[in-house]
């Protein structure tokens, strides 16, 4: 997802005016995209994990610059809406922050760490390119490269693509202006299973993220690895609040990720940054 909408409008105005005949909840499968699941409830809490996880949002993309929502499943594996020059720089600049988080985890739990670092990414170009640029930043930045050597880290150069990290699907709002996020985010706070405009619900994103992380964790069953999940704003914001145990995951939009920002995936609510409430302007 690109950037936060500049202003928020009530879903009861233009949203209801233009789509009053559409239900708030889809049934069965998503009518716009059959691969997107429709779920009735939030998933169970994420259980304890064997590995350390870090969340990296993609750098600035051409869709960000165009000011449009970019969530079509046809983008998976394509080069459309890749990084801008600024986005490339942001991807490279994420490397020192990532190493900071890994170093802290080594200080807290060095005895169980394998010191192996793995990158997983959404198959959308902007996420994959960001993971690649973060890796490039580790090599190109002499200070970062020295820290990696001193810490004894073994950074795997392959970026593994996982469909479970894809952008949140925005249904009939895909390709529209960013301000239309305002039709969805306020409703998310009250009903995380809603599918208005055929969007993928917060509960559905949480469900696939739970499955994805558990699969990745089982693939690294020895534990103690450092795993970077490179994805998109809504997906990572939902992931961080779901993983932390926040009681209302629908409030994810108050915990915004910047382009190229990396965070440790904490497991308690006190690891979340201070929330920034949505405001109308």
């Amino acid at each position: 997802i690109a950037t936060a909408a500049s202003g928020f409008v009530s879903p009861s105005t233009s949203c209801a005016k233009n789509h009053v005949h559409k239900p708030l909840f889809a049934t069965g499968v998503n009518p716009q995209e059959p691969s997107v699941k429709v779920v009735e409830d939030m998933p169970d809490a994420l259980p304890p994990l064997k590995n350390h996880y870090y969340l990296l949002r993609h750098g600035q993309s051409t869709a960000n610059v165009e000011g449009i929502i970019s969530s079509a499943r046809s983008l998976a594996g394509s080069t459309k809406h890749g990084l801008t020059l600024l986005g490339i720089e942001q991807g490279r600049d994420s490397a020192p922050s990532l190493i900071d988080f890994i170093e802290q985890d080594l200080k807290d739990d060095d005895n169980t760490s394998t010191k192996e670092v793995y990158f997983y990414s959404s198959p959308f170009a902007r996420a994959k390119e960001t993971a690649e640029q973060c890796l490039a930043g580790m090599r190109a930045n002499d200070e970062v490269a020295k820290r990696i050597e001193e810490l004894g880290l073994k950074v795997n150069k392959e970026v593994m693509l996982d469909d479970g990290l894809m952008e949140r699907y925005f249904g009939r709002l895909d390709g529209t202006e960013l301000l239309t996020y305002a039709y969805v985010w306020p409703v998310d706070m009250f009903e995380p299973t809603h599918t208005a405009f055929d969007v993928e619900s917060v509960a559905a994103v949480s469900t696939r993220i739970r499955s994805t992380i558990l699969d990745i964790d089982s693939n690294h069953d020895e534990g103690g690895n450092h795993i970077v999940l490179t994805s998109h704003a809504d997906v990572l914001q939902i992931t961080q609040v779901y993983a932390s145990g926040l009681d209302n995951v629908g409030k994810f939009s108050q915990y915004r990720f910047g382009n190229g920002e990396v965070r440790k995936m904490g497991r308690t609510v006190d690891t979340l940054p201070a929330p920034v409430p949505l405001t109308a302007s």
Side-chain angles (χ1 to χ4, degrees):
I1 289 172
T3 55
S6 59
F8 291 86
V9 298
S10 170
S12 63
T13 56
S14 60
C15 179
K17 185 187 301 180
N18 295 326
H19 301 281
V20 67
H21 62 291
K22 295 289 185 179
L24 187 61
F25 300 91
T27 57
V29 298
N30 188 295
Q32 299 292 318
E33 177 50 69
S35 68
V36 174
K37 293 183 178 180
V38 175
V39 302
E40 296 181 355
D41 299 293
M42 284 290 297
D44 292 338
L46 190 65
L49 301 168
K50 301 182 181 76
N51 300 284
H52 305 279
Y53 288 85
Y54 312 90
L55 309 178
L56 172 60
R57 186 193 173 195
H58 66 79
Q60 184 192 67
S61 70
T62 57
N64 291 156
V65 175
E66 292 174 36
I68 59 171
I69 296 175
S70 170
S71 69
R73 290 325 191 222
S74 60
L75 293 174
S78 80
T79 58
K80 187 175 182 181
H81 294 164
L83 296 181
T84 63
L85 290 177
L86 175 58
I88 291 172
E89 181 180 351
Q90 290 168 334
R92 293 201 173 204
D93 288 347
S94 68
S97 295
L98 174 60
I99 298 304
D100 286 343
F101 286 120
I102 293 176
E103 182 175 12
Q104 185 59 55
D105 279 337
L106 289 174
K107 289 178 180 177
D108 295 340
D109 196 20
D110 188 44
N111 291 333
T112 62
S113 174
T114 64
K115 300 193 176 182
E116 295 271 358
V117 181
Y118 297 92
F119 278 77
Y120 284 81
S121 175
S122 158
F124 283 26
R126 56 191 184 269
K128 175 177 177 288
E129 291 171 6
T130 299
E132 292 169 343
Q133 290 302 322
C134 183
L135 282 165
M138 290 180 176
R139 296 188 298 268
N141 185 315
D142 290 341
E143 181 180 343
V144 172
K146 181 180 179 181
R147 289 178 64 196
I148 289 172
E149 182 179 1
E150 291 173 346
L151 293 170
L153 297 178
K154 293 162 281 187
V155 181
N156 290 267
K157 298 178 181 179
E158 179 186 4
V159 176
M160 290 165 280
L161 303 183
D162 195 310
D163 288 351
L165 297 173
M166 275 199 279
E167 175 66 285
R168 181 186 186 186
Y169 182 62
F170 268 82
R172 288 178 284 128
L173 298 180
D174 183 65
T176 63
E177 296 178 345
L178 296 181
L179 61 83
T180 56
Y181 284 138
Y183 299 164
V184 177
W185 289 342
V187 186
D188 289 335
M189 295 184 187
F190 296 98
E191 185 44 75
T193 61
H194 88 87
T195 55
F197 300 97
D198 300 322
V199 301
E200 183 179 16
S201 70
V202 172
V205 174
S206 300
T207 298
R208 68 171 161 97
I209 283 296
R210 184 181 194 276
S211 177
T212 298
I213 291 177
L214 291 181
D215 284 348
I216 292 173
D217 213 53
S218 67
N219 289 338
H220 300 274
D221 195 51
E222 71 280 10
N225 299 289
H226 302 271
I227 298 173
V228 184
L229 306 178
T230 312
S231 188
H232 311 265
D234 269 30
V235 174
L236 294 180
Q237 288 152 196
I238 290 170
T239 299
Q240 69 172 347
V241 298
Y242 167 62
S244 76
L246 189 72
D247 58 351
N248 183 359
V249 178
K251 291 184 177 180
F252 72 90
S253 54
Q254 297 184 354
Y255 300 88
R256 301 295 298 169
F257 268 75
N259 285 117
E261 182 178 357
V262 60
R263 296 177 187 170
K264 176 177 170 59
M265 190 182 82
R267 300 308 313 275
T268 57
V269 173
D270 62 5
T271 62
L272 293 172
V276 179
L278 300 180
T279 57
S281 60

